[in-house]
Amino acid sequence: DTEVTQTPKHLVMGMTNKKSLKCEQHMGHRAMYWYKQKAKKPPELMFVYSYEKLSINESVPSRFSPECPNSSLLNLHLHALQPEDSALYLCASSQEPSNSPLHFGNGTRLTVT
Amino acid sequence: GEDVEQSLFLSVREGDSSVINCTYTDSSSTYLYWYKQEPGAGLQLLTYIFSNMDMKQDQRLTVLLNKKDKHLSLRIADTQTGDSAIYFCADPNQAGTALIFGKGTTLSVSS
């Protein structure tokens, strides 16, 4: 069982849709992350929130918009996505923003049609 | 920039030992990590080693770290079919603020 919960597990959306991915952790971790993973590839960092503030944006297109409403929640708002954005989106958290192990959720499998 | 390299495939028989190898470039890392990913799942933290250690043992898992050669290995003793998965080596970026993953080693265990 994972202590980082992601919803939904699967999402199919059209290119004109707006949807959101949600992530929640109750371990008191102060850093939260979004990673994108394509099939047969390693996870790639998208965003890092440190103490609820965006600290890293890895040049992600603006059609992906992260939000951290509080220390336990992390959202990823999606708008006008492309089929190549189809992937597994993984949320993770760590106790501190640096030099702490990351704990991952099970991901949201996103398909853009 | 930072880079993490792993061999892509390893095939073993049930009961044998598995050794998965990894090399990394950033020598300032405080910790180095091993993650396991089963099909359709997220990444599970398996174990990690502090950079001033040479070895760490945790039940069937043994991690060896050679800082001079920037080489990390994960040994799984008595490998079981349930160990079949992708294993990722991960090294923090230079600022220590995120993890850089290797390409992953697919471990296949046959009975």
Side-chain angles (χ1 to χ4, degrees):
Chain A
D1 284 344
T2 177
E3 294 175 76
V4 177
T5 305
Q6 290 188 245
T7 56
K9 286 189 170 61
H10 301 274
L11 178 63
V12 179
M13 61 185 289
M15 288 189 284
T16 57
N17 291 159
K18 280 187 186 180
K19 295 285 184 185
S20 296
L21 310 185
K22 295 187 182 304
C23 175
E24 192 167 359
Q25 58 87 13
H26 293 289
M27 296 179 281
H29 287 181
R30 307 310 301 190
M32 295 187 78
Y33 309 75
W34 281 114
Y35 278 81
K36 173 182 176 180
Q37 187 180 28
K38 300 283 273 185
K40 311 280 188 204
K41 298 287 186 188
E44 293 178 347
L45 182 66
M46 299 175 74
F47 302 104
V48 182
Y49 272 83
S50 172
Y51 292 91
E52 301 168 46
K53 291 196 182 329
L54 183 65
S55 59
I56 297 179
N57 175 343
E58 289 287 306
S59 303
V60 179
S62 59
R63 57 186 185 269
F64 295 91
S65 174
E67 179 198 17
C68 188
N70 60 54
S71 60
S72 301
L73 293 176
L74 185 66
N75 298 322
L76 186 62
H77 303 297
L78 314 172
H79 172 54
L81 295 195
Q82 304 296 310
E84 59 264 30
D85 296 321
S86 298
L88 181 67
Y89 288 84
L90 292 162
C91 174
S93 69
S94 64
Q95 190 165 10
E96 293 297 332
S98 63
N99 296 314
S100 287
L102 270 62
H103 298 264
F104 283 85
N106 281 327
T108 293
R109 176 76 57 191
L110 174 68
T111 303
V112 182
T113 59
Chain B
E2 301 97 352
D3 196 19
V4 180
E5 297 286 339
Q6 296 178 242
S7 51
L8 294 183
F9 298 101
L10 177 64
S11 183
V12 301
R13 296 175 68 94
E14 197 174 17
D16 288 350
S17 291
S18 308
V19 180
I20 301 171
N21 295 300
C22 169
T23 57
Y24 60 96
T25 55
D26 182 9
S27 58
S28 63
S29 305
T30 307
Y31 292 97
L32 292 147
Y33 302 89
W34 284 104
Y35 284 85
K36 176 184 179 182
Q37 187 174 33
E38 297 183 24
L43 274 70
Q44 174 196 350
L45 177 64
L46 267 186
T47 187
Y48 57 95
I49 187 166
F50 190 51
S51 59
N52 70 354
M53 296 170 68
D54 297 324
M55 185 180 87
K56 179 180 178 182
Q57 189 147 2
D58 184 0
Q59 299 182 339
R60 291 191 297 122
L61 304 179
T62 303
V63 180
L64 295 177
L65 175 60
N66 181 328
K67 275 198 85 171
K68 176 174 165 289
D69 294 339
K70 296 182 187 170
H71 183 265
L72 181 72
S73 68
L74 174 70
R75 179 176 178 269
I76 305 173
D78 187 25
T79 312
Q80 304 297 305
T81 53
D83 294 324
S84 294
I86 302 176
Y87 290 81
F88 291 98
C89 169
D91 179 25
N93 61 7
Q94 225 167 20
T97 52
L99 290 183
I100 308 298
F101 289 88
K103 288 185 167 55
T105 299
T106 299
L107 175 64
S108 174
V109 183
S110 56
S111 55

